[in-house]
Amino acid sequence: MRVVFACAGTGGHINPAIAMANLILKKENDSQILFIGTETGLENKLVENAGYKISHIRTGKILRELTLKNITALINAYKGIGDAKTILKEFKPDIVIGTGGYICGPVMKAAKKLKIPYYLHESNAFPGVSVKLLAKDAKCVMVGFEDTKARLNSKAKVVYTGTPAKFTEEDIFNLNREQCINKLKLENINKKIVLVTCGSQGAKKINEVVLSMIKKYQNDNIYYILVTGDKNYDEVLSLKENAEKEIGKSLDEYLRVEKFVFNMDEMYKVADLCITRAGAMTISELSLAHKPSILIPLPTAAENHQFFNAKVLENVNAAKIIEQKDLNEESLNKTVLEIVSDDNIEKMGQNASKVIVQNVEEKIYDCIKMK
């Protein structure tokens, strides 16, 4: 099978596409896969790290406000259709799959013009604008949440598949925790490990609150791993250094700062608690890893979809939600302490597994192969 994936911008769009590419190769190992993205987006790092090739088109993101920038974005999106047609003609895919975001518009329009069937996958509880607009001509729209089906006014076949992750429940189970601890150089940490990771872009507000909390409440029983994202890494190191000057001691025994993590399965294996945003991929990963979580939904997410994603775990008592407007060092520290007792960690972790969608890979593969 020859397949083109269109994804760009954030890990929430890119990682499900990579997971589906891996699935296709597992099912049909002679398949040829190509990704289409932008020249400067995060997709380049993630796709290339996963071992796939990526081509680029011009496009633009339409902002939800009246601005002249939208004119430029529309012009670039129109040019992107031509770029995509050139790539598709050369690669000759059997199908094209889009996982949401502004990159999908030009690529799916080009696929339609060339009479190549295209498929969509929407991970979030509320479908994005691109998926809504493109769904009517899609061969199949795969959705990550059952409720999403009712929010798509589409002539296409809509199938509740769940969201593919880069690992399975079995993958996590088969990892040896002690080996992961040694590999991640955590063998000297005899504390509860709290993983703070806020997606591919990081989260400035959460980074600042976590540092402020650790400075104010240095807990000898808790060790934080703060994954900042590329653009916030240097700022967080600077904030940490300033905090250490203020308190007159190093924070290294309470905190480790990382720019980016590729081996998230190993990080989940060693973490006792996760503090994170509530992207659909994250919800899927937390359930598969059986991890309790504190979820801080992105307040600017379209239609507040991250809050509704987070409710999926909160409703089964696997997570506690702190809305960003209520986030401060006191509220975060209080919530961490409520969870990190052994009983709560164990119970909430077990509850997270209740929302696992079974047979995600098979359902997606069936959709892709349907006549």
Side-chain angles (χ1 to χ4, degrees):
M1 193 189 321
R2 299 179 68 83
V3 185
V4 163
F5 284 93
C7 60
T10 69
H13 292 139
I14 303 159
N15 287 324
I18 292 172
M20 281 190 274
N22 293 342
L23 164 64
I24 289 170
L25 281 178
K26 184 164 73 174
K27 295 288 188 179
E28 303 180 33
N29 60 17
D30 60 344
S31 294
Q32 298 295 310
I33 308 287
L34 177 68
F35 282 74
I36 293 180
T38 62
E39 286 190 347
T40 59
L42 176 68
E43 58 271 20
N44 293 284
K45 176 186 289 186
L46 296 184
V47 168
E48 290 170 5
N49 183 72
Y52 296 106
K53 294 180 180 179
I54 185 166
S55 295
H56 305 116
I57 66 169
R58 290 166 287 183
T59 190
K61 182 177 182 179
I62 307 300
L63 303 175
R64 294 175 181 240
E65 58 185 88
L66 291 174
T67 170
L68 292 175
K69 292 180 180 178
N70 282 340
I71 297 175
T72 302
L74 284 169
I75 292 171
N76 285 333
Y78 181 76
K79 291 177 179 177
I81 296 174
D83 296 340
K85 282 178 69 176
T86 299
I87 294 169
L88 295 179
K89 284 180 179 178
E90 182 178 338
F91 188 73
K92 296 181 175 60
D94 299 304
I95 61 171
V96 176
I97 301 175
T99 52
Y102 56 90
I103 193 79
C104 285
V107 178
M108 302 307 148
K109 293 291 185 184
K112 183 182 176 182
K113 287 178 180 291
L114 296 172
K115 298 182 179 179
I116 302 168
Y118 72 77
Y119 299 72
L120 299 170
H121 185 280
E122 175 55 73
S123 298
N124 291 303
F126 277 80
V129 174
S130 293
V131 170
K132 285 181 178 178
L133 293 175
L134 296 165
K136 61 184 176 65
D137 293 316
K139 181 85 171 178
C140 177
V141 182
M142 299 166 278
V143 296
F145 293 96
E146 181 77 50
D147 291 349
T148 311
K149 294 172 68 174
R151 297 175 179 132
L152 276 171
N153 181 15
S154 169
K155 296 178 182 178
K157 182 175 182 181
V158 181
V159 180
Y160 170 44
T161 61
T163 295
K166 289 185 287 185
F167 53 80
T168 66
E169 184 181 24
E170 185 179 8
D171 291 335
I172 294 288
F173 179 80
N174 288 335
L175 283 173
N176 182 290
R177 190 172 189 271
E178 291 305 314
Q179 289 179 358
C180 291
I181 285 173
N182 291 333
K183 185 174 179 180
L184 296 169
K185 299 179 180 178
L186 294 166
E187 60 270 18
N188 296 322
I189 306 300
N190 297 310
K191 306 178 180 185
K192 298 296 184 187
I193 295 175
V194 178
L195 174 64
V196 186
T197 175
C198 294
S200 54
Q201 305 301 308
K204 179 180 172 67
K205 169 74 172 177
I206 295 173
N207 292 339
E208 291 173 349
V209 170
V210 169
L211 274 168
S212 179
M213 176 189 66
I214 293 171
K215 181 178 74 171
K216 186 173 183 178
Y217 305 105
Q218 295 150 46
N219 191 316
D220 291 332
N221 298 314
I222 301 175
Y223 184 78
Y224 292 85
I225 300 174
L226 175 55
V227 185
T228 65
D230 283 351
K231 65 182 180 181
N232 297 310
Y233 181 71
D234 291 336
E235 180 186 7
V236 168
L237 289 182
S238 178
L239 288 172
K240 177 176 178 286
E241 184 178 338
N242 291 337
E244 289 170 334
K245 287 179 181 177
E246 286 183 34
I247 62 176
K249 62 183 288 190
S250 170
L251 291 175
D252 288 349
E253 62 182 290
Y254 308 103
L255 169 69
R256 185 163 104 191
V257 179
E258 296 280 356
K259 181 183 290 187
F260 201 86
V261 174
F262 288 108
N263 51 333
M264 278 301 296
D265 53 345
E266 295 170 346
M267 275 293 188
Y268 280 128
K269 187 69 176 184
V270 304
D272 295 292
L273 168 66
C274 299
I275 300 173
T276 183
R277 290 295 195 196
M281 187 77 159
T282 298
I283 302 300
S284 179
E285 290 177 346
L286 290 168
S287 66
L288 292 169
H290 300 192
K291 291 300 168 182
S293 56
I294 298 171
L295 300 175
I296 306 163
L298 179 68
T300 57
E303 298 184 90
N304 201 23
H305 68 254
Q306 285 207 4
F307 178 81
F308 291 95
N309 293 351
K311 291 294 289 182
V312 172
L313 285 175
E314 187 189 59
N315 287 344
V316 296
N317 193 30
K320 293 184 180 293
I321 297 174
I322 302 178
E323 294 193 62
Q324 188 156 303
K325 62 183 176 61
D326 301 320
L327 180 67
N328 54 54
E329 57 263 35
E330 288 81 13
S331 65
L332 185 58
N333 185 64
K334 179 183 176 183
T335 308
V336 169
L337 293 179
E338 287 174 357
I339 296 175
V340 294
S341 73
D342 288 333
D343 285 348
N344 270 340
I345 284 177
E346 183 68 23
K347 288 177 183 176
M348 291 178 70
Q350 290 174 354
N351 289 339
S353 68
K354 294 177 181 179
V355 303
I356 293 174
V357 181
Q358 299 296 330
N359 304 316
V360 173
E361 290 190 348
E362 295 302 326
K363 290 174 183 175
I364 288 173
Y365 188 67
D366 286 346
C367 287
I368 291 171
K369 298 296 288 186
M370 75 179 188
K371 302 298 182 183

